[in-house]
Amino acid sequence: MKLTKFFALIAASAAMFVGCDGPDNGPVATSDITLSAETVVEVKSPINFVVTNADGEDVSANATIFDKSHDFAQVSNPFTPTEDGEYTFYAVVGDAISNDIKVTVTPTVPALPEDSDAANTSFVHHILMVDHTGTNCGYCPRMMQALKEVAETGDYHSKYYEAMAHSYNTSDPAYSGAAMAITGYYGINGYPSLTYNFAHPTTSSYNAEHIKSQIDALWKESADAGIAAATSMATKSVVVNTEIKAAVAGEYSVTAWLLEDNIEGKQTNATEEWMNIHNNAIRQAATTSPITGYELGSIEAGATATQILNLNITQSSWNRDNMKVMVIVSKKNDKGKYDVANVVLCAIDDTVTYNYNN
């Protein structure tokens, strides 16, 4: 599997750093020896250290390697990390102390599921709906009630996936910076507001009939593209491997959002107890610049493109057991803007294969 794109996304800052400047940062480099190693490796893959002296001679056999980022623990050479993250190492040979090097240890990329019907391009279609909301928003329970009504009407809930952008108040336990960035992209200035896809100009307030009319207008019998995905929980992130298959030739992009369920938060003006439990809350996005994600280029009908995405877990209060991933593929429209072509949800440490109509 080619990991170049993945490494470029999460390890752009991986580089060599020289020296320490104080006792709290460890010993000061003496410049008599130089430490080098791969700057990016996959977790459970060995890191091979090379130590050379001022004459360029390899003195690795006489060197002791220390992991500065984990309590200055002595490590073997080669050293096999069992957790992903940023590591900083230095070497000691006698009285000589090397430079520091930083090594980015990336998570293992999960394998994509096998395509059970490679010739098929008739994909089940889902619209993206984003509810811009917050626990201190007095009118937001009305949107919650409207969405409940829509979900319970006929087969409407099979035609869309919803994500909740808790951006109204920062004291909201479901609030996140990613949710705020997504709300900013849509230009929302009134709460609650419901947006559709990425480039659709219409927003809805808490009117169930209007919401259903927008779903009717946007939903298609067959999507322009299908999505297969695999996810895995790493030490500090969720890794998402995606494959996009085009039913209609065009220029595509893909992104992923990390969602969390069962977040307890007292909802202002809640009329029922279930309104105090918040699901599908946006915690992280693979990128918000642009919101549509990473460009895949032109994909011919029946052809595929892959992209590995990383969703950083930045807050200890986020509950990993309640997380899932939303993968969104977009297609460039006749106005030159990427708009949502399809959406899928994938549980953590799981896969989703192409969802065919037949």
Side-chain angles (χ1 to χ4, degrees):
M1 177 181 298
K2 292 184 178 179
L3 304 182
T4 305
K5 291 182 180 179
F6 180 51
F7 291 160
L9 293 177
I10 69 172
S13 62
M16 185 175 293
F17 292 83
V18 178
C20 311
D21 57 7
D24 292 338
N25 293 322
V28 177
T30 62
S31 301
D32 299 322
I33 57 173
T34 300
L35 174 65
S36 62
E38 305 95 327
T39 57
V40 181
V41 299
E42 196 171 352
V43 70
K44 296 184 180 179
S45 297
I47 303 171
N48 296 288
F49 301 102
V50 177
V51 184
T52 55
N53 62 19
D55 296 324
E57 299 172 331
D58 189 333
V59 294
S60 304
N62 300 321
T64 304
I65 312 296
F66 293 93
D67 180 0
K68 187 176 179 180
S69 51
H70 294 83
D71 297 323
F72 297 86
Q74 181 177 333
V75 300
S76 60
N77 186 13
F79 168 65
T80 302
T82 57
E83 293 185 352
D84 58 282
E86 299 291 336
Y87 289 70
T88 302
F89 300 98
Y90 67 93
V92 175
V93 178
D95 295 330
I97 300 169
S98 79
N99 55 293
D100 289 351
I101 61 169
K102 179 179 285 188
V103 177
T104 300
V105 179
T106 66
T108 300
V109 177
L112 288 164
E114 184 178 352
D115 187 352
S116 61
D117 193 357
N120 198 339
T121 57
S122 179
F123 304 106
V124 173
H125 180 223
H126 289 97
I127 299 162
L128 171 67
M129 299 199 319
V130 181
D131 179 15
H132 306 270
T133 186
T135 53
N136 286 5
C137 167
Y139 289 104
C140 287
R142 299 187 185 186
M143 179 66 82
M144 299 170 79
Q145 188 62 54
L147 288 173
K148 185 173 185 290
E149 179 182 333
V150 172
E152 294 174 351
T153 302
D155 63 348
Y156 275 100
H157 205 225
S158 68
K159 298 179 178 180
Y160 66 88
Y161 285 121
E162 59 193 353
M164 317 302 282
H166 284 252
S167 53
Y168 183 84
N169 55 290
T170 58
S171 60
D172 185 339
Y175 173 90
S176 71
M180 177 58 86
I182 289 166
T183 292
Y185 163 82
Y186 286 104
I188 299 302
N189 52 26
Y191 290 80
S193 288
L194 187 69
T195 53
Y196 304 86
N197 293 341
F198 285 145
H200 187 60
T202 301
T203 60
S204 292
S205 60
Y206 37 87
N207 184 308
E209 292 307 312
H210 185 257
I211 294 170
K212 286 186 280 187
S213 72
Q214 293 303 301
I215 295 170
D216 290 337
L218 291 170
W219 185 78
K220 299 194 281 187
E221 289 287 345
S222 183
D224 286 353
I227 305 169
T231 69
S232 64
M233 179 70 73
T235 307
K236 299 179 181 179
S237 66
V238 175
V239 185
V240 188
N241 195 0
T242 66
E243 183 179 83
I244 307 305
K245 187 199 291 190
V248 178
E251 294 184 52
Y252 287 88
S253 64
V254 66
T255 192
W257 294 352
L258 185 64
L259 308 183
E260 184 180 337
D261 292 334
N262 298 320
I263 302 171
E264 295 184 12
K266 183 66 177 177
Q267 177 66 51
T268 299
N269 291 341
T271 57
E272 299 180 58
E273 187 58 34
W274 64 265
M275 293 181 175
N276 298 313
I277 304 298
H278 307 280
N279 297 313
N280 302 314
I282 299 168
R283 287 305 201 186
Q284 190 59 274
T287 179
T288 55
S289 181
I291 198 74
T292 52
Y294 297 94
E295 295 184 3
L296 299 172
S298 180
I299 308 176
E300 295 300 318
T304 63
T306 60
Q307 179 71 56
I308 301 167
L309 306 168
N310 197 62
L311 296 163
N312 292 321
I313 300 174
T314 60
Q315 302 296 324
S316 60
S317 59
W318 299 354
N319 190 332
R320 293 168 179 249
D321 292 336
N322 294 335
M323 290 179 174
K324 58 191 174 187
V325 172
M326 174 180 279
V327 181
I328 307 164
V329 60
S330 297
K331 180 175 174 286
K332 188 175 285 188
N333 61 22
D334 56 7
K335 297 180 180 179
K337 295 183 177 180
Y338 284 100
D339 201 6
V340 174
N342 212 350
V343 186
V344 299
L345 287 178
C346 185
I348 302 298
D349 294 324
D350 203 352
T351 64
V352 288
T353 191
Y354 294 113
N355 190 4
Y356 294 116
N357 280 312
N358 47 48

